[in-house]
């Protein structure tokens, strides 16, 4: 088994759509970034890549690559899902925290979980999402940014893990 941790933060700006967990959330500001700036998906991708020992989101999906300009983060998720499969990993669970002063995330939590289940290939009961405010502190507390933390636990059958360890020794 391996664990990974991921973190992401994006600024909230007028004139941008707010997309978190693949859900378009009605709000007067949205997250700014090269892609759709879905901080929850980005934190999850980093947690899963970290667990696999595969670097980070920037190494796989460069923010200067025009192919990813305004890209839906579902693309990053599906590429991460494919890498997990190719390396023989399955996801035991992921857990995430959204830090946002506004809007309230509760009404969108189930839709986010469904999107994550579909795009990352993780069973619904293996996905946790919590939402907290930052109690008014700092940029997040002022409503200038939204941040997300995520952890992932991935597992392999003992046989395939033994094989990959042997490959490293050789
Ligand atoms: Mg990001």
């Amino acid at each position: 088994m391996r664990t990974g941790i991921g973190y992401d933060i994006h600024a909230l700006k007028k004139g941008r759509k707010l997309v978190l967990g693949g859900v378009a959330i009605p709000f007067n500001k949205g997250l700014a970034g090269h892609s759709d700036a879905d901080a929850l998906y980005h934190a999850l991708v980093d947690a899963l890549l970290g667990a696999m020992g595969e670097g980070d989101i920037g190494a796989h999906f460069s923010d200067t690559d025009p192919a990813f300009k305004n890209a839906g983060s579902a693309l990053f998720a599906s590429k991460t899902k494919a890498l997990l499969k190719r390396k023989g990993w399955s996801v035991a669970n992921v857990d995430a925290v959204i830090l946002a002063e506004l809007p309230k995330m509760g009404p969108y939590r189930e839709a986010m979980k469904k999107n994550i289940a579909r795009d990352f290939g993780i069973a619904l009961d293996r996905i946790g999402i919590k939402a907290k405010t930052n109690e008014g502190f700092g940029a997040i507390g002022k409503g200038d940014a939204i941040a997300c933390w995520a952890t992932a636990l991935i597992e392999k059958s003992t046989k395939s893990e033994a094989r990959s360890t042997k490959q490293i020794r050789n």
Side-chain angles (χ1 to χ4, degrees):
M1 286 189 157
R2 312 271 186 89
T3 71
I5 185 167
Y7 170 79
D8 197 26
I9 184 167
H10 283 272
L12 274 169
K13 301 265 187 213
K14 291 221 184 290
R16 288 277 301 185
K17 265 203 267 179
L18 177 57
V19 180
L20 265 183
V23 179
I25 298 172
F27 194 51
N28 62 356
K29 289 189 274 187
L31 295 175
H34 183 71
S35 66
D36 63 6
D38 188 330
L40 179 53
Y41 265 38
H42 296 181
L44 284 165
V45 166
D46 260 352
L48 290 162
L49 290 175
M52 284 189 279
E54 283 290 332
D56 64 17
I57 192 167
H60 289 261
F61 313 107
S62 165
D63 63 6
T64 56
D65 188 334
F68 300 125
K69 183 149 173 62
N70 297 318
S73 294
L75 175 68
F76 306 161
S78 69
K79 285 184 182 283
T80 304
K81 176 168 85 172
L83 190 58
L84 283 160
K85 195 174 172 204
R86 198 156 70 239
K87 301 211 133 203
W89 291 107
S90 61
V91 179
N93 79 306
V94 291
D95 198 13
V97 182
I98 302 168
L99 285 165
E101 212 64 18
L102 278 172
K104 287 270 166 253
M105 297 292 160
Y108 309 104
R109 191 198 320 245
E110 289 311 310
M112 289 177 186
K113 283 172 73 170
K114 275 187 195 149
N115 288 342
I116 292 164
R118 181 194 62 217
D119 295 337
F120 287 88
I122 303 169
L124 269 179
D125 66 349
R126 292 168 181 259
I127 300 165
I129 301 174
K130 276 96 60 187
K132 323 272 288 182
T133 73
N134 218 34
E135 296 285 340
F137 291 110
I140 294 167
K142 283 199 207 84
D144 291 334
I146 289 177
C148 295
W149 288 97
T151 65
L153 182 68
I154 60 174
E155 57 191 347
K156 247 182 204 185
S157 73
T158 323
K159 223 163 131 189
S160 62
E161 177 70 340
R163 209 182 306 129
S164 76
T165 307
K166 201 170 152 216
Q167 276 164 3
I168 292 161
R169 283 207 199 97
N170 294 342

